[in-house]
Amino acid sequence: MRLKIRKRVLAEFYSGASRLWTRNSPGARIDFYPGGIRATGTNYKEALVYETESPENEDNEGTIFVPPDSLKEIVSSYGDDALVEFEKEDEGRIRAEWEAKGLSSTRFFREGMDLPEIKIPDAKSFKSIDRERFRSEYSICATCTSQERSRFSLDCIALDGENGKMTATDGRQVYETSGVRFLWKDCCYLPVEEGFPEKMLFSSGDLEIAKSKKIVALRNGLWTYAVRLKETDFPPIDKVSLDLGDTELVLQVSEGDAERMMELLPHLPGKSKELSVVKLIAEERIVFQSESSDGDGEADGRFELLSSHWIGEKFEVRFNRLYFLRALEHGFRTFRFLPGNAPIIAETQSRRYLFMPLLVHEEEGAENAEVEPEVHRPRGNPPAPAPTPVQVRKRRNQW
């Protein structure tokens, strides 16, 4: 029995599934049925399914398992529209044949192992979701998740069906948005994986979502992406309460200044440092300033905001400029600065982004300075001892 499929169909599937595959991935499962195919690629945690018509396969049915390297060789060969025929031989060997403009090609390979099952929710359980809204919120949340192995419980996005929220944090920043409608009432945790097929799911068309006990699946047209939900000790972000009455400074950034900051902040000295520290000084004007030293050389730079508005007394704070830029790039224009080591808050009506301020101990030298959260002391009380690095890390983890 010969199973037939156009090479361009295999190439389209490979363009998405190859993002999921690692060295130990089992490859692709291709199910043939009269008039169509269903191709599945997985890396044990995620699965990407591509289902489309295949009129060349009129009557035959069957399943083959193709290793990743064999599929890559087939789709990268000459003749994009060539008709590939697969035939099973004895002892689990498969022969693939195709011809393009008189050039005949044949490849033999051992059939790959059976794929582990990632059971996609039933087709009836998929419901439409706002594609552009979900795309926007997912992209912001993904940048706020942790990529550190020591923070493996923070490499996911909380999807809260009861409150209609999406939340992500890496322990140093938090993003939270409300008004996202899901079909479930509990809270589940969507892992952020490198192989997530954004192009296939978000480029155009209608986006649908479904959830089972262990799987979340997204479907758009011919593509379905499914991933195992993460079991994690996600921090109780919803219980974080901040005393906004202690606000030292409220900054309302104008569109003109936002564009200037997105252009200028990356060019202030110190941009190559790990923490990319910048200082905001509120006096008669709002000024952004940074300093850097490298061996015997020193550099400093500064610029003022021209048309933004603020409310508050004199104030000074240091923070990672990358977080501030991220807030600007995602449309935040209102920033609230609290005293001490309280998070800096960027907010809109339905979204909130928080990130931690920093304190540089200048007596240790700018190059080797230990950067820590500031410690808030009520006015009138004697100064408290400076926290040790261990205490600082413990406070951050608790926060």
Side-chain angles (χ1 to χ4, degrees):
M1 180 182 296
R2 286 178 169 249
L3 303 171
K4 304 175 183 180
I5 185 173
R6 289 287 173 189
K7 189 152 69 68
R8 55 179 164 76
V9 176
L10 286 176
E12 179 71 11
F13 165 68
Y14 181 82
S15 69
S18 60
R19 292 170 54 88
L20 275 63
W21 287 331
T22 60
R23 180 179 300 177
N24 299 320
S25 296
R29 168 178 174 151
I30 306 177
D31 297 299
F32 294 81
Y33 54 86
I37 64 104
R38 187 175 191 264
T40 304
T42 183
N43 59 9
Y44 301 105
K45 295 186 296 181
E46 312 163 83
L48 186 64
V49 179
Y50 180 67
E51 191 165 6
T52 187
E53 296 179 353
S54 181
E56 297 81 9
N57 196 65
E58 298 177 356
D59 302 315
N60 294 336
E61 296 185 28
T63 298
I64 59 172
F65 298 90
V66 187
D69 57 343
S70 298
L71 185 58
K72 180 180 180 180
E73 181 172 326
I74 293 172
V75 302
S76 59
S77 64
Y78 178 74
D80 293 341
D81 202 43
L83 182 63
V84 183
E85 298 185 7
F86 294 95
E87 184 174 13
K88 291 188 177 182
E89 298 186 340
D90 295 335
E91 299 178 354
R93 196 170 79 152
I94 293 180
R95 178 170 63 182
E97 295 181 330
W98 62 97
E99 181 180 331
K101 296 184 178 182
L103 175 63
S104 299
S105 302
T106 303
R107 178 173 176 82
F108 296 91
F109 58 87
R110 291 284 176 184
E111 191 168 25
M113 67 181 74
D114 195 353
L115 270 67
E117 183 179 14
I118 296 183
K119 191 172 182 180
I120 296 174
D122 184 82
K124 295 180 180 179
S125 63
F126 281 86
K127 301 296 180 183
S128 295
I129 190 172
D130 187 329
R131 174 173 56 84
E132 282 302 310
R133 175 74 191 281
F134 189 84
R135 179 197 63 78
S136 175
E137 304 299 357
Y138 179 90
S139 65
I140 303 175
C141 286
T143 61
C144 295
T145 57
S146 176
Q147 304 300 317
E148 302 176 27
R149 291 189 176 184
S150 60
R151 294 174 178 263
F152 59 87
S153 62
L154 304 179
D155 61 353
C156 57
I157 302 172
L159 307 180
D160 185 347
E162 181 176 0
N163 298 302
K165 291 183 177 181
M166 294 175 65
T167 306
T169 181
D170 63 2
R172 301 176 181 88
Q173 56 181 329
V174 177
Y175 177 74
E176 181 183 74
T177 183
S178 59
V180 185
R181 304 180 101 185
F182 297 113
L183 311 175
W184 51 87
K185 295 300 182 183
D186 58 340
C187 186
C188 62
Y189 302 98
L190 174 67
V192 174
E193 304 289 353
E194 290 185 9
F196 184 81
E198 294 186 37
K199 181 179 178 181
M200 287 72 183
L201 296 175
F202 295 155
S203 295
S204 61
D206 296 327
L207 181 66
E208 298 176 299
I209 193 168
K211 185 180 85 71
S212 63
K213 186 176 181 180
K214 296 184 178 180
I215 301 291
V216 162
L218 295 162
R219 183 172 67 186
N220 189 333
L222 306 177
W223 297 95
T224 301
Y225 171 78
V227 61
R228 298 185 190 277
L229 291 170
K230 189 176 182 68
E231 296 182 4
T232 179
D233 294 325
F234 198 80
I237 302 297
D238 56 328
K239 296 181 180 179
V240 174
S241 60
L242 301 170
D243 188 355
L244 301 183
D246 286 342
T247 300
E248 295 267 349
L249 177 73
V250 177
L251 173 62
Q252 182 66 46
V253 178
S254 67
E255 288 300 324
D257 279 339
E259 293 180 7
R260 288 182 67 243
M261 280 191 283
M262 284 188 279
E263 180 179 357
L264 299 179
L265 273 176
H267 298 288
L268 285 177
K271 63 181 179 181
S272 60
K273 302 294 184 181
E274 181 179 358
L275 290 166
S276 197
V277 180
V278 72
K279 179 165 60 175
L280 180 149
I281 305 171
E283 293 180 343
E284 295 181 359
R285 305 297 295 264
I286 293 287
V287 176
F288 282 85
Q289 176 181 316
S290 71
E291 301 173 354
S292 179
S293 62
D294 187 8
D296 295 330
E298 296 183 358
D300 62 78
R302 56 186 286 145
F303 66 87
E304 298 180 356
L305 301 190
L306 302 178
S307 54
S308 299
H309 300 280
W310 68 93
I311 300 173
E313 302 297 330
K314 290 184 178 182
F315 187 72
E316 183 176 306
V317 62
R318 289 180 174 87
F319 48 82
N320 188 325
R321 77 185 75 185
L322 299 181
Y323 296 154
F324 199 86
L325 283 168
R326 180 168 295 157
L328 292 173
E329 290 167 356
H330 289 296
F332 289 96
R333 297 294 181 264
T334 302
F335 296 84
R336 189 184 296 271
F337 299 86
L338 305 180
N341 65 340
I344 299 166
I345 307 169
E347 55 190 351
T348 67
Q349 186 174 359
S350 60
R351 300 184 299 153
R352 185 173 67 157
Y353 177 58
L354 294 76
F355 56 97
M356 295 298 293
L358 302 167
L359 175 63
V360 177
H361 290 297
E362 297 178 345
E363 67 273 14
E364 296 182 13
E367 181 178 355
N368 300 312
E370 179 73 22
V371 183
E372 306 170 353
E374 294 183 356
V375 180
H376 174 55
R377 298 190 300 270
R379 292 181 176 87
N381 290 349
T388 65
V390 173
Q391 290 172 327
V392 169
R393 287 194 291 270
K394 182 177 181 181
R395 287 187 189 130
R396 276 188 171 170
N397 291 334
Q398 288 174 339
W399 177 79

